[in-house]
Amino acid sequence: MTAIPEIAGLALLVRGLAAATFVGGVIALMERCSPFIGGIVLALPIVTAPAYLFLLLQHDAGFIAVAAQGSLGTIGAVLLFIAAVIALVRRLPMPAVLACALGIWFAVGLLIRLLPPHLLTSLAVMAIAGLLAWLGGRRVPLTAPAARGRSPLSEIVLRGAMAGGLVIGVSLLADLFGPRIAGIFASFPVALLAVCWFLPRRLDAAGIRAAMRATQIGMVSHIPFFCCLILLGPAFAAQGLPRFAAFGLGLVGSLLVALTLATLRRRQMKRVNGA
């Protein structure tokens, strides 16, 4: 199915607006709640989902499945991106930290591009990266001091607008290539870049490390979303079921994983405080 220019333009706009709203909301949440909750929310595929929503309007289930395989493997690159931020944020200024983290992301993304597209390959890349990220971050505390003050609404809107513009730019690059590249760039850590850039103004290094560690843990919420697109999308299409059914089930699965993680963390904190 050929992309309609009007739909493609609307896809870019909606994804940019989603990123803008999401990044602004996550930063506000970290300032008002805790780095852990903000990190779990940051890990949800809210910025990635609009990209796939409009890919579904433009392409068939096979194209979506190949793109999702690329995205799933790229979650491993995102995990290592976060690991680099955790390791370097106490040693380097944030621009240098993000430059190093992006270098790692692009290196892993290139590796994924060279590997054969398959669900097991994507899961293997994600598992290896997840193990490395866990080894590097397992001693990082998930509790941290509260944010230093709160950002005014105008500042939150500005941050969100910057993130939205970045999303549109990345999406334009991804649309020039095939499903594999589109899937890899669909998982480009745009929201993480924007949030990390602004966090030093409100959180100290310990708070940033706690938020990023929580985001690492929360990245597991991407697995049901992409697996539904890979496995259920073509199966549903073959049965004549609505093309958005697998997409909806994937989002529900991601939300359930995030809610489970938040609930387990809340119970853990109650036990600690009650001890």
Side-chain angles (χ1 to χ4, degrees):
M1 186 182 297
T2 303
I4 303 172
E6 291 79 2
I7 292 180
L10 183 60
L12 286 175
L13 178 61
V14 170
R15 194 180 182 203
L17 289 174
T21 304
F22 180 57
V23 168
V26 166
I27 294 175
L29 190 64
M30 287 182 179
E31 293 176 353
R32 288 159 175 77
C33 296
S34 69
F36 181 85
I37 296 299
I40 291 295
V41 174
L42 179 59
L44 286 169
I46 296 177
V47 176
T48 304
Y52 276 94
L53 179 62
F54 284 94
L55 282 176
L56 280 165
L57 292 173
Q58 301 169 25
H59 302 284
D60 59 23
F63 183 101
I64 302 301
V66 174
Q69 288 171 6
S71 291
L72 183 61
T74 310
I75 296 304
V78 177
L79 288 170
L80 296 180
F81 174 100
I82 299 170
V85 174
I86 291 173
L88 299 175
V89 72
R90 294 184 297 182
R91 300 177 175 87
L92 298 173
M94 186 56 75
V97 170
L98 293 179
C100 294
L102 275 177
I104 293 173
W105 186 91
F106 277 109
V108 178
L110 178 61
L111 173 63
I112 294 168
R113 175 69 180 87
L114 297 175
L115 293 174
H118 195 278
L119 175 59
L120 293 180
T121 302
S122 298
L123 288 174
V125 171
M126 185 177 178
I128 293 170
L131 177 61
L132 293 174
W134 178 79
L135 290 173
R138 67 188 187 280
R139 299 186 186 279
V140 176
L142 289 173
T143 55
R148 299 186 293 266
R150 294 183 179 179
S151 302
L153 179 60
S154 58
E155 189 174 318
I156 292 176
V157 171
L158 177 61
R159 296 170 182 177
M162 292 177 64
L166 185 57
V167 164
I168 291 174
V170 171
S171 299
L172 285 171
L173 289 174
D175 287 343
L176 296 175
F177 303 97
R180 184 80 164 159
I181 299 298
I184 290 173
F185 273 97
S187 292
F188 186 81
V190 171
L192 275 168
L193 273 173
V195 169
C196 288
W197 182 270
F198 289 107
L199 274 184
R201 301 186 62 178
R202 300 298 174 189
L203 289 175
D204 60 13
I208 295 173
R209 282 162 58 84
M212 292 300 102
R213 179 62 179 144
T215 304
Q216 270 188 339
I217 295 171
M219 291 303 294
V220 70
S221 66
H222 283 70
I223 296 177
F225 178 69
F226 290 126
C227 283
C228 282
L229 293 176
I230 296 168
L231 298 175
L232 299 183
F236 285 1
Q239 297 296 322
L241 296 174
R243 60 167 56 193
F244 294 105
F247 176 88
L249 286 175
L251 277 184
V252 170
S254 294
L255 290 172
L256 288 176
V257 169
L259 287 172
T260 300
L261 291 172
T263 301
L264 291 174
R265 175 62 178 170
R266 185 177 180 182
R267 291 179 179 176
Q268 181 186 38
M269 293 304 297
K270 282 184 176 180
R271 287 197 300 267
V272 171
N273 293 333

